[in-house]
Amino acid sequence: MTKVAYREIAGRSALYWLAVILCAAGAAAGLASALYMRAYGHHVSGMNNQIVWGMPHVFAVFLIVAASGALNVASIASVFGRSLYKPLARLSGLLAIALLIGGLWNLVLDLGRPGHLLATVIYPNFRSIFAWNIYLYTGFLVIVGFYRWFMMERRLNPHTHKVGMLAFLWRLVLTTGTGSIFGFLAARSAYDSAVLAPLFILMSFAFGLAIFSLVLLAGFKIVGRPVGGRVLARLKTLLGVFVAAVMYFVAVYHLTNIYIAGHRGVEAFVLLKGGLYTGLFWGGQVLVGGIVPLVLLLRRYPLDDVQGIARALVWGALAVVAGGLAQIYVLIIGGQAYPLQMFPGMVVHSSFYDGVVHSYIPRWPETVLALSGVAVVGLIVLIAVRLLPFLPENLTDEVVSAHGARPAAGSAAGESPVHP
């Protein structure tokens, strides 16, 4: 009878404490930047009346979308019954919560007056997708918190499937709501598309799994715990499939916009005439975030070549993260930079920048605030794995094969005994 054992990390090394100090300093710097922008006005950030969502929003949306996808590993284990992923479910739930908190950290501090957030709770406007997302985000944190509790409490393991199903459905709705923030904005021709909702769901799968893979490999490398080629090969292939799906929906999104006469101007801007945004689209999103990961991730390796599989997974995941940030930047910043079409088919000029492509150069306060969200994620994960047993002690092929051979009836994520 085989069980996967979990153990918190020792946390005595200088490298661990250096990482904690750097993440804490990054979070503190982000908070200081937010206070600086509040004291001197948001003009010090580089934003203006035309570009009202800047770098903090780019990182916030990326982290929130990735939070939904990071839970995918736990969902595959408990909802779809794939035992191979069950030893990874605890870390998956932890990372989902940490990423969402990091994204909300950026989002709330970038409001200028975070206290006004309470007004949307006390006086909700349910015709606004922003109001709906407040409840979707808080609900996600509560549900995934219970989900993680059910994973780690042996007496509650038989009910993990039910909570996991709720978490799976909730995160699909959450990511749909995040994509609908842009899809419902009919005034912006770069956003006005129903395709953005399923595109965001697939983006979450790719971004979340990429970050999960990097955290998993870094954690096992730092603490010196063994990991086999089987689980890494499965993660590598799955990430490649998600990247291919994202690229397909990106093509559908742009082809749909080209077909719609009112959107052809913004498509020409993004694909051909947008300068920085065109470069980020083709070089960052398509090449770095699409073609390079597909080449790295879909290449076959023998299972005993653990180093080769791990190397391909790391570089592929890093490319997905870099390409994902470029994709969100082009969507959010590029979508605002393209002028509003006040009177379609007409040329509009005025002193209020009508018909003008807007410029945006992020300055240090909002860049520091944007990066602080990543620091918050790192700090949460580092403290959690030090205090609680989230990481399995062993992920070699022998342990994974035994764990995934014949799961017991009513098995839960990463807990129930299985027979070799």
Side-chain angles (χ1 to χ4, degrees), residues 21-32:
I21 292 172
L22 289 176
C23 289
L31 181 60

Side-chain angles (χ1 to χ4, degrees), residues 171-261:
R171 71 187 185 88
L172 291 181
V173 176
L174 180 147
T175 315
T176 301
T178 305
S180 298
I181 291 176
F182 305 98
F184 289 176
L185 282 176
R188 294 283 183 184
S189 52
Y191 299 157
D192 181 24
S193 175
V195 180
L196 285 175
L199 174 59
F200 266 67
I201 291 176
L202 290 171
M203 285 161 53
S204 75
F205 290 171
F207 301 167
L209 185 59
I211 295 176
F212 175 84
S213 301
L214 291 172
V215 172
L216 175 70
L217 285 168
F220 271 71
K221 180 70 174 178
I222 291 173
V223 299
R225 298 182 186 179
V227 58
R230 186 182 176 192
V231 65
L232 296 183
R234 192 68 63 86
L235 291 174
K236 181 176 72 68
T237 303
L238 186 61
L239 181 57
V241 171
F242 288 156
V243 171
V246 170
M247 296 301 294
Y248 170 76
F249 264 85
V250 167
V252 170
Y253 166 71
H254 287 287
L255 289 173
T256 302
N257 278 347
I258 292 172
Y259 182 79
I260 301 172

